[in-house]
Amino acid sequence: MNDNLQQLAAMLAEARRIAVLSGAGMSTESGIPDFRSAKGLWQQGLRLEEMVSIDYFRASPEAFWQGFKQIFHTKLLGNYQPNDGHLFLAALERSGREVTVLTQNIDGLHTRAGSSRVLELHGTLLTSSCPSCGRRHTLEYINHHELPLCTYCMDVLKPDVVLYGEAVPHLEEAFDAAMDADLLLVMGSSLEVSPVNLIPVEAGRAGVATVLINYTPTRMDRVFDLCVQGGIGDTCRALAPVLAR
Ligand code: NAD
């Protein structure tokens, strides 16, 4: 184990209340590409911010769904499984620690892995809801209908992901969880997306120990007490002995 990993193992062994902020890099080892890999999909002359926005959904729901399904094609149809990173966090919770996961991901894999305290800051791809009556519809239903309509009132459904122009849910709760923790662990995020990227800044200011596990350096590295550069799977497998402590 290198020095950084040993330091992280010691911090984890001590921490009783842990907040984890996860990004797209958390799920790449489950086969889901991160943000940048998907950029080739933004096409038709529209930018991502326009195609996946609440204004576009309201103005042209049919064109919105066509673009949305194209952009999220792999994620909508794939049967993805949690990887060793998701499973490690669930095991950390089972070991008796309080673990709150704040995730920017919309794939539902933390919950599937067994984590019970998950705040989905960008919503979920697994359901869509009716803007009129609020009824939820499953991913299977969405995949079977080119233009998914509410089975009750026939209104066009809206994906339960947070679209550009919509408020981020659970944000205050997420900041509180990070600031009340002994340790904030950020995993697989470029920390380019605001306001979520302010969570480690505020936690650090509140005196919470902060660690980043990421393949590549980010513009926010300097706000962390410790940066572990590496893969999430390898890192979590190396940290497994901490679970017994
Ligand atoms: P990002 O794509 O901007 O950054 C991902 C980071 O993770 C990169 O810095 C990369 O080096 C790192 N990384 C990739 N695989 C890794 C691994 N196995 N181990 C360690 N590091 C790894 O992602 P972001 O910061 O989450 O922002 C992207 C936005 O796109 C978010 O808003 C998110 O909601 C959305 N998104 C979600 C998913 C998903 O649900 N799985 C996938 C793609 C994008």
Side-chain angles (χ1 to χ4, degrees):
M1 227 193 238
N2 68 32
D3 285 355
N4 278 359
L5 264 180
Q6 261 173 15
Q7 203 180 329
L8 173 53
M11 290 163 99
L12 269 174
E14 254 180 49
R16 293 293 111 189
R17 191 179 280 178
I18 300 165
V20 178
L21 171 60
S22 70
M26 187 84 215
S27 295
T28 54
E29 292 176 41
S30 294
I32 303 177
D34 61 18
F35 195 61
R36 274 166 295 186
S37 328
K39 268 197 178 154
L41 293 167
W42 321 141
Q43 44 184 265
Q44 301 169 357
L46 285 175
R47 291 184 305 128
L48 164 72
E49 290 82 352
E50 291 160 345
M51 278 187 86
V52 192
S53 72
I54 187 68
D55 288 346
Y56 191 48
F57 171 77
R58 287 193 183 126
S60 325
E62 286 190 34
F64 168 89
W65 267 107
Q66 211 184 355
F68 187 83
K69 287 197 164 201
Q70 222 176 322
I71 290 166
F72 292 104
H73 179 74
T74 30
K75 275 196 258 178
L76 282 164
L77 298 178
N79 179 20
Y80 297 103
Q81 301 303 321
N83 61 50
D84 285 349
H86 300 104
L87 295 171
F88 176 78
L89 297 178
L92 203 56
E93 183 181 334
R94 282 199 306 276
S95 75
R97 291 149 172 110
E98 185 184 295
V99 180
T100 308
V101 180
L102 324 170
T103 188
Q104 300 174 81
N105 295 341
I106 54 179
D107 53 36
L109 290 180
H110 284 294
T111 304
R112 182 102 77 90
S115 287
S116 70
R117 301 161 65 98
V118 181
L119 300 179
E120 294 182 309
L121 303 174
H122 292 166
T124 179
L125 200 60
L126 304 185
T127 55
S128 290
S129 296
C130 175
S132 304
C133 73
R135 273 188 176 70
R136 276 213 181 125
H137 294 66
T138 63
L139 187 56
E140 197 190 2
Y141 176 81
I142 296 153
N143 281 334
H144 277 96
H145 295 82
E146 215 165 289
L147 181 66
L149 302 178
C150 176
T151 47
Y152 184 71
C153 55
M154 301 304 281
D155 207 353
V156 178
L157 298 178
K158 190 196 90 59
D160 288 333
V161 298
V162 177
L163 301 178
Y164 282 91
E166 288 190 299
V168 174
H170 313 296
L171 196 56
E172 208 173 314
E173 226 180 311
F175 273 92
D176 286 349
M179 283 156 71
D180 287 347
D182 310 322
L183 174 66
L184 171 68
L185 204 53
V186 177
M187 301 171 81
S189 176
S190 62
L191 292 169
E192 291 288 334
V193 180
S194 182
V196 167
N197 60 0
L198 296 177
I199 291 175
V201 178
E202 290 304 318
R205 276 195 195 135
V208 178
T210 53
V211 179
L212 171 70
I213 305 172
N214 213 53
Y215 268 150
T216 49
T218 75
R219 286 196 292 168
M220 309 281 282
D221 282 10
R222 67 192 158 73
V223 310
F224 289 89
D225 296 317
L226 178 68
C227 292
V228 175
Q229 208 172 323
I232 288 170
D234 285 344
T235 306
C236 289
R237 284 185 289 274
L239 291 170
V242 169
L243 296 170
R245 288 201 244 161

